[in-house]
Amino acid sequence: MSAAIETTEVHVASAMRTDAPPAIVLDKVNKWFGALHVLRDVDLQVATGERVVVCGPSGSGKSTMIRCINRLETHQEGKILVDGIELSDDVRALDAIRRDVGMVFQSFNLFPHLTILENCTLAPIWVRKMPKKQAEELAMEYLTRVRIPEQAKKYPGQLSGGQQQRVAIARALCMKPKIMLFDEPTSALDPEMIKEVLDTMVMLAAEGMTMICVTHEMGFARQVADRVVFMDRGEVVESGTPDAVFNDPKTERLKLFLSQILRGH
Amino acid sequence: MSDITANTPAMSSSEPRSAPLTAVGPIAWLRTNLFSGWLSTAVTLALGYLIVRAVIGFVDWAFINAIWSVPVSPTGVAQTQACRDLQGSGACWAVVTEKHRFMLFGTYPYEQHWRPAIVCLLFIGLYIVSSMRRFWNWTLIPIWIGTLTTIGILMWGGILGLPYVPQERWGGLPITLILATFGLALAFPLSILVALGRRSNLPAIKVLCVLYVELIRGVPLISLLFMASVMFPLFLPEGMNIDKLLRAQIAITLFAGAYLAEVVRGGLQALPKGQYEAAEAMGLSYWQKTGLIILPQALRLVIPPLVNTFIGFFKDTSLVLIIGIFDLLTAGKTAIVEPSWQGFGVEVYVFVGLIYLCFCFAMSKYSQGLEAELNRHRRR
């Protein structure tokens, strides 16, 4: 774990483009689970090519927020625009958004009844209508990029957690998404497997992918993030460069949070 | 980190040894499972004695003292006196020898019995083909349509030079197979739709599915069959009449559908939410998600209760006897109405029971194989 948190690693050059229209816009988004107000007036703009790391204590609404972006959760007030398309009940708009937004989950969520290769080719074949052979070539290319091409014929249950998460990343990449969402991708992993997944994500960041990543991996945040967003109790409390947020916290809540996770390491 | 590496050489340096002989092998098994103490030894001996006695008694009755055929008088009446003398100590399989064609095919015209016989073979062939994974694709649909059409032609006749046989004269095993095959083949897809509907976000569909399941499941199959045979015709307009077998078939299908729907729903609920979310996040449509991700996993999970319900309904088709349909069990019952054969129920029921057992055991065995095969991915 210690290697990942050190700040000596070179910051990955940003591919952020401020001239292009923003990839994601959240405008005064509110959400309730029953009576519980889980997102309060959340405003967030993510530029194309920008890498945003979202952190915060558990229950702060960070997972809910990124799950709203591809509508795994529905927000009740405010506007969310992805790639210029507004999220609404319009199924076609939603399908278009989901095609272009890849998601990686904390618990991998690979399909256990399909092989690794089938996991990766499923969406390209059925959603992008790609011929099977071409989809398989594409999948093998991405599996090679995440360094597990030799596992293609195995089932997810035969792989380690770190390998499964890398497959999940490859599976999302096979759809050639414009935006990638990571929902605590390393939280369910054994310590020795965290690095292999983070390395894959750093590689992705270096290629200029627009990313929103919910994580507590401070080293990763320092290495790749253009911006760190700190959330607490459903609100965006602070936001800024990794240096500004981690070294110069303005609010008590962030100071408390930082002291807690630093003690944890 | 370093403490882990320090331990590894110590573990690999000692060769794995085989378990001591007292812990493995048949003698060790006997000792631990049958003779582990004086009480266990006593129970083993007592039960062993009872089992041996029962087996000897059955072999005596069923084989050694059994009568396999009896002479038939010129008037066509069987001389069953020899059987009656032995009653209690030996089986009279002569009743089966003599009456098996009636039991298997009921009142179907005797000289046309080859037709229902072929129908039974066609059904069995259909089961075998359908059970092979090689045929699990679109070819199965024409195979089913072709086979069922042939079966219809054979049973009814009236074309291709086959004499017409009205449905009232059908009976025996073909009726049981028709009811079970159509019943389950139609109820299974119905149950999947109902199970999905019950979890739908659309309130109207959800309410409809809940009502269907709760109403049908809430009444006994017998009362449904009665309704189908007695009440249903009253609601139909004058002159319109739906075949009695078809009505029973619909009742059985609806009943099986409600039960199977709950089994399938159990499988749907057992799947982790993440599977649904991952499929949605990829942009799969509802039917793609359901067909490619959800159902393949959910149905695998519920193979044991599904087959349980299938077997249950295969046997429940025998309830149609109360509305006067001549299935295998009814035909068996009717075979011993004749005065000379009265009192030989045990032999007839053993014979009928064996036929049911063959089909149910085959289903059970097949499902075990299927489960092992389909859940391969769970093994490491």
Side-chain angles (χ1 to χ4, degrees), chain A residues 27-64:
Chain A
D27 185 16
K28 294 254 177 299
V29 171
N30 278 283
K31 176 172 176 62
W32 290 262
F33 282 130
L36 193 65
H37 199 171
V38 288
L39 292 181
R40 307 177 189 213
D41 287 335
V42 172
D43 283 321
L44 184 72
Q45 284 218 3
V46 180
T48 303
E50 189 176 6
R51 282 102 49 162
V52 175
V53 164
V54 183
C55 60
S58 71
S60 60
K62 50 197 191 314
S63 283
T64 310

Short mmCIF file of all heavy atoms in Angstrom, two decimals, chain A residues 27-64:
data_model
loop_
_atom_site.label_atom_id
_atom_site.label_comp_id
_atom_site.label_asym_id
_atom_site.label_seq_id
_atom_site.Cartn_x
_atom_site.Cartn_y
_atom_site.Cartn_z
N ASP A 27 -25.94 19.98 -12.49
CA ASP A 27 -26.42 21.31 -12.15
C ASP A 27 -27.47 21.21 -11.05
O ASP A 27 -28.57 20.74 -11.29
CB ASP A 27 -26.99 21.96 -13.42
CG ASP A 27 -27.41 23.39 -13.18
OD1 ASP A 27 -26.98 23.95 -12.15
OD2 ASP A 27 -28.16 23.93 -14.01
N LYS A 28 -27.10 21.62 -9.84
CA LYS A 28 -28.02 21.62 -8.69
C LYS A 28 -28.77 20.29 -8.56
O LYS A 28 -29.99 20.25 -8.48
CB LYS A 28 -29.04 22.75 -8.85
CG LYS A 28 -28.45 24.15 -8.78
CD LYS A 28 -28.79 24.81 -7.45
CE LYS A 28 -28.14 26.18 -7.32
NZ LYS A 28 -26.65 26.10 -7.37
N VAL A 29 -28.02 19.19 -8.54
CA VAL A 29 -28.65 17.88 -8.48
C VAL A 29 -29.02 17.53 -7.04
O VAL A 29 -28.20 17.66 -6.13
CB VAL A 29 -27.72 16.80 -9.07
CG1 VAL A 29 -28.27 15.41 -8.83
CG2 VAL A 29 -27.51 17.04 -10.56
N ASN A 30 -30.27 17.11 -6.87
CA ASN A 30 -30.75 16.68 -5.56
C ASN A 30 -31.33 15.28 -5.68
O ASN A 30 -31.97 14.95 -6.67
CB ASN A 30 -31.85 17.62 -5.06
CG ASN A 30 -31.26 18.86 -4.43
OD1 ASN A 30 -30.78 18.83 -3.30
ND2 ASN A 30 -31.26 19.95 -5.19
N LYS A 31 -31.10 14.51 -4.63
CA LYS A 31 -31.67 13.17 -4.62
C LYS A 31 -32.01 12.75 -3.21
O LYS A 31 -31.28 13.08 -2.26
CB LYS A 31 -30.69 12.17 -5.23
CG LYS A 31 -31.20 10.74 -5.16
CD LYS A 31 -30.38 9.76 -5.91
CE LYS A 31 -30.93 8.35 -5.69
NZ LYS A 31 -32.30 8.18 -6.19
N TRP A 32 -33.12 12.05 -3.08
CA TRP A 32 -33.52 11.53 -1.77
C TRP A 32 -33.71 10.02 -1.87
O TRP A 32 -34.23 9.52 -2.87
CB TRP A 32 -34.86 12.13 -1.35
CG TRP A 32 -34.82 13.58 -0.99
CD1 TRP A 32 -34.74 14.10 0.27
CD2 TRP A 32 -34.90 14.71 -1.88
NE1 TRP A 32 -34.76 15.47 0.22
CE2 TRP A 32 -34.84 15.88 -1.10
CE3 TRP A 32 -34.98 14.85 -3.27
CZ2 TRP A 32 -34.89 17.16 -1.63
CZ3 TRP A 32 -35.03 16.11 -3.81
CH2 TRP A 32 -34.98 17.26 -3.00
N PHE A 33 -33.27 9.30 -0.84
CA PHE A 33 -33.69 7.90 -0.66
C PHE A 33 -34.78 7.93 0.40
O PHE A 33 -34.48 8.05 1.59
CB PHE A 33 -32.54 7.02 -0.16
CG PHE A 33 -31.56 6.64 -1.24
CD1 PHE A 33 -30.20 6.81 -1.04
CD2 PHE A 33 -31.99 6.08 -2.42
CE1 PHE A 33 -29.30 6.45 -2.02
CE2 PHE A 33 -31.09 5.70 -3.40
CZ PHE A 33 -29.74 5.90 -3.20
N GLY A 34 -36.03 7.87 0.00
CA GLY A 34 -37.10 8.05 0.97
C GLY A 34 -37.01 9.44 1.55
O GLY A 34 -37.05 10.42 0.80
N ALA A 35 -36.84 9.55 2.86
CA ALA A 35 -36.75 10.87 3.48
C ALA A 35 -35.30 11.35 3.56
O ALA A 35 -35.03 12.49 3.91
CB ALA A 35 -37.37 10.82 4.88
N LEU A 36 -34.38 10.45 3.24
CA LEU A 36 -32.96 10.77 3.41
C LEU A 36 -32.45 11.59 2.22
O LEU A 36 -32.54 11.17 1.07
CB LEU A 36 -32.18 9.46 3.51
CG LEU A 36 -30.74 9.56 4.00
CD1 LEU A 36 -30.69 10.05 5.44
CD2 LEU A 36 -30.06 8.21 3.87
N HIS A 37 -31.93 12.77 2.51
CA HIS A 37 -31.46 13.66 1.46
C HIS A 37 -30.00 13.31 1.15
O HIS A 37 -29.10 13.72 1.87
CB HIS A 37 -31.57 15.11 1.96
CG HIS A 37 -31.56 16.11 0.86
ND1 HIS A 37 -31.83 17.43 1.06
CD2 HIS A 37 -31.34 15.99 -0.47
CE1 HIS A 37 -31.77 18.09 -0.08
NE2 HIS A 37 -31.47 17.23 -1.03
N VAL A 38 -29.76 12.53 0.09
CA VAL A 38 -28.42 12.00 -0.12
C VAL A 38 -27.56 12.86 -1.05
O VAL A 38 -26.34 12.80 -0.98
CB VAL A 38 -28.44 10.55 -0.65
CG1 VAL A 38 -28.86 9.61 0.45
CG2 VAL A 38 -29.35 10.41 -1.85
N LEU A 39 -28.17 13.63 -1.93
CA LEU A 39 -27.39 14.57 -2.74
C LEU A 39 -28.02 15.95 -2.58
O LEU A 39 -29.22 16.12 -2.79
CB LEU A 39 -27.39 14.16 -4.22
CG LEU A 39 -26.64 12.89 -4.61
CD1 LEU A 39 -26.74 12.68 -6.12
CD2 LEU A 39 -25.19 12.93 -4.17
N ARG A 40 -27.21 16.93 -2.17
CA ARG A 40 -27.75 18.27 -1.94
C ARG A 40 -27.10 19.27 -2.87
O ARG A 40 -25.92 19.57 -2.72
CB ARG A 40 -27.47 18.70 -0.50
CG ARG A 40 -27.93 17.70 0.52
CD ARG A 40 -27.54 18.16 1.90
NE ARG A 40 -27.80 17.08 2.83
CZ ARG A 40 -28.18 17.28 4.08
NH1 ARG A 40 -28.29 18.50 4.56
NH2 ARG A 40 -28.41 16.25 4.87
N ASP A 41 -27.86 19.77 -3.82
CA ASP A 41 -27.40 20.81 -4.73
C ASP A 41 -25.99 20.55 -5.25
O ASP A 41 -25.12 21.40 -5.16
CB ASP A 41 -27.42 22.17 -4.03
CG ASP A 41 -28.85 22.68 -3.86
OD1 ASP A 41 -29.71 22.25 -4.68
OD2 ASP A 41 -29.11 23.45 -2.93
N VAL A 42 -25.78 19.35 -5.78
CA VAL A 42 -24.43 19.02 -6.25
C VAL A 42 -24.19 19.67 -7.61
O VAL A 42 -24.97 19.49 -8.55
CB VAL A 42 -24.24 17.49 -6.35
CG1 VAL A 42 -22.92 17.17 -7.01
CG2 VAL A 42 -24.32 16.87 -4.97
N ASP A 43 -23.15 20.48 -7.71
CA ASP A 43 -22.73 21.09 -8.96
C ASP A 43 -21.37 20.53 -9.32
O ASP A 43 -20.48 20.50 -8.47
CB ASP A 43 -22.58 22.61 -8.81
CG ASP A 43 -23.93 23.31 -8.82
OD1 ASP A 43 -24.79 22.89 -9.61
OD2 ASP A 43 -24.09 24.24 -8.02
N LEU A 44 -21.23 20.08 -10.55
CA LEU A 44 -19.92 19.56 -10.96
C LEU A 44 -19.82 19.66 -12.47
O LEU A 44 -20.77 19.34 -13.17
CB LEU A 44 -19.79 18.09 -10.52
CG LEU A 44 -18.46 17.41 -10.77
CD1 LEU A 44 -17.39 17.94 -9.82
CD2 LEU A 44 -18.58 15.90 -10.58
N GLN A 45 -18.67 20.14 -12.94
CA GLN A 45 -18.43 20.15 -14.37
C GLN A 45 -17.14 19.39 -14.63
O GLN A 45 -16.14 19.64 -13.97
CB GLN A 45 -18.25 21.57 -14.88
CG GLN A 45 -19.54 22.33 -14.98
CD GLN A 45 -19.56 23.23 -16.20
OE1 GLN A 45 -18.61 23.24 -16.98
NE2 GLN A 45 -20.64 23.96 -16.37
N VAL A 46 -17.20 18.46 -15.55
CA VAL A 46 -16.01 17.71 -15.89
C VAL A 46 -15.70 17.97 -17.36
O VAL A 46 -16.55 17.73 -18.22
CB VAL A 46 -16.20 16.20 -15.64
CG1 VAL A 46 -14.94 15.45 -16.00
CG2 VAL A 46 -16.58 15.95 -14.19
N ALA A 47 -14.49 18.49 -17.62
CA ALA A 47 -14.12 18.78 -19.01
C ALA A 47 -13.69 17.50 -19.71
O ALA A 47 -13.32 16.52 -19.06
CB ALA A 47 -12.98 19.80 -19.03
N THR A 48 -13.74 17.51 -21.03
CA THR A 48 -13.25 16.37 -21.80
C THR A 48 -11.77 16.14 -21.49
O THR A 48 -10.98 17.08 -21.50
CB THR A 48 -13.44 16.64 -23.30
OG1 THR A 48 -14.82 16.92 -23.53
CG2 THR A 48 -13.03 15.43 -24.13
N GLY A 49 -11.43 14.91 -21.19
CA GLY A 49 -10.05 14.59 -20.87
C GLY A 49 -9.66 14.86 -19.43
O GLY A 49 -8.54 14.57 -19.03
N GLU A 50 -10.57 15.39 -18.64
CA GLU A 50 -10.24 15.70 -17.24
C GLU A 50 -10.37 14.44 -16.38
O GLU A 50 -11.17 13.56 -16.65
CB GLU A 50 -11.19 16.77 -16.71
CG GLU A 50 -10.78 17.28 -15.33
CD GLU A 50 -11.67 18.42 -14.83
OE1 GLU A 50 -12.67 18.71 -15.49
OE2 GLU A 50 -11.35 18.98 -13.77
N ARG A 51 -9.49 14.36 -15.35
CA ARG A 51 -9.58 13.24 -14.42
C ARG A 51 -9.95 13.78 -13.05
O ARG A 51 -9.21 14.56 -12.46
CB ARG A 51 -8.24 12.51 -14.33
CG ARG A 51 -7.99 11.59 -15.49
CD ARG A 51 -7.05 12.14 -16.49
NE ARG A 51 -5.83 12.66 -15.88
CZ ARG A 51 -4.71 12.87 -16.55
NH1 ARG A 51 -4.65 12.65 -17.84
NH2 ARG A 51 -3.66 13.34 -15.93
N VAL A 52 -11.12 13.36 -12.59
CA VAL A 52 -11.61 13.86 -11.31
C VAL A 52 -11.64 12.71 -10.32
O VAL A 52 -12.14 11.63 -10.63
CB VAL A 52 -13.04 14.43 -11.48
CG1 VAL A 52 -13.61 14.84 -10.12
CG2 VAL A 52 -13.02 15.61 -12.43
N VAL A 53 -11.05 12.93 -9.15
CA VAL A 53 -11.15 11.93 -8.08
C VAL A 53 -12.11 12.46 -7.04
O VAL A 53 -12.01 13.61 -6.61
CB VAL A 53 -9.76 11.65 -7.46
CG1 VAL A 53 -9.90 10.94 -6.12
CG2 VAL A 53 -8.92 10.82 -8.41
N VAL A 54 -13.08 11.62 -6.68
CA VAL A 54 -14.06 12.00 -5.67
C VAL A 54 -13.75 11.22 -4.41
O VAL A 54 -13.61 10.00 -4.44
CB VAL A 54 -15.49 11.67 -6.14
CG1 VAL A 54 -16.51 12.15 -5.12
CG2 VAL A 54 -15.77 12.29 -7.50
N CYS A 55 -13.59 11.94 -3.29
CA CYS A 55 -13.38 11.22 -2.04
C CYS A 55 -14.31 11.78 -0.99
O CYS A 55 -14.97 12.81 -1.18
CB CYS A 55 -11.92 11.30 -1.60
SG CYS A 55 -11.35 12.97 -1.33
N GLY A 56 -14.34 11.09 0.13
CA GLY A 56 -15.24 11.51 1.19
C GLY A 56 -15.57 10.33 2.08
O GLY A 56 -15.37 9.19 1.67
N PRO A 57 -16.07 10.60 3.29
CA PRO A 57 -16.39 9.50 4.20
C PRO A 57 -17.53 8.63 3.64
O PRO A 57 -18.24 9.07 2.73
CB PRO A 57 -16.82 10.20 5.49
CG PRO A 57 -17.13 11.60 5.11
CD PRO A 57 -16.36 11.91 3.88
N SER A 58 -17.69 7.43 4.16
CA SER A 58 -18.74 6.56 3.63
C SER A 58 -20.10 7.18 3.98
O SER A 58 -20.27 7.80 5.02
CB SER A 58 -18.62 5.16 4.21
OG SER A 58 -18.97 5.16 5.56
N GLY A 59 -21.04 7.04 3.05
CA GLY A 59 -22.34 7.65 3.24
C GLY A 59 -22.38 9.10 2.82
O GLY A 59 -23.36 9.80 3.06
N SER A 60 -21.31 9.58 2.16
CA SER A 60 -21.29 10.99 1.80
C SER A 60 -21.98 11.25 0.46
O SER A 60 -22.11 12.40 0.06
CB SER A 60 -19.84 11.48 1.74
OG SER A 60 -19.14 10.73 0.77
N GLY A 61 -22.39 10.20 -0.24
CA GLY A 61 -23.12 10.39 -1.49
C GLY A 61 -22.25 10.32 -2.73
O GLY A 61 -22.73 10.54 -3.83
N LYS A 62 -20.96 9.99 -2.56
CA LYS A 62 -20.07 10.01 -3.73
C LYS A 62 -20.42 8.90 -4.72
O LYS A 62 -20.46 9.15 -5.93
CB LYS A 62 -18.60 9.93 -3.29
CG LYS A 62 -18.26 8.83 -2.32
CD LYS A 62 -16.93 9.08 -1.66
CE LYS A 62 -16.41 7.90 -0.87
NZ LYS A 62 -17.38 7.23 0.01
N SER A 63 -20.71 7.68 -4.21
CA SER A 63 -21.12 6.60 -5.13
C SER A 63 -22.45 6.93 -5.78
O SER A 63 -22.63 6.72 -6.98
CB SER A 63 -21.24 5.28 -4.36
OG SER A 63 -19.98 4.75 -4.11
N THR A 64 -23.38 7.43 -4.98
CA THR A 64 -24.69 7.78 -5.53
C THR A 64 -24.54 8.79 -6.65
O THR A 64 -25.20 8.69 -7.68
CB THR A 64 -25.59 8.36 -4.42
OG1 THR A 64 -25.55 7.48 -3.31
CG2 THR A 64 -27.01 8.53 -4.89
#
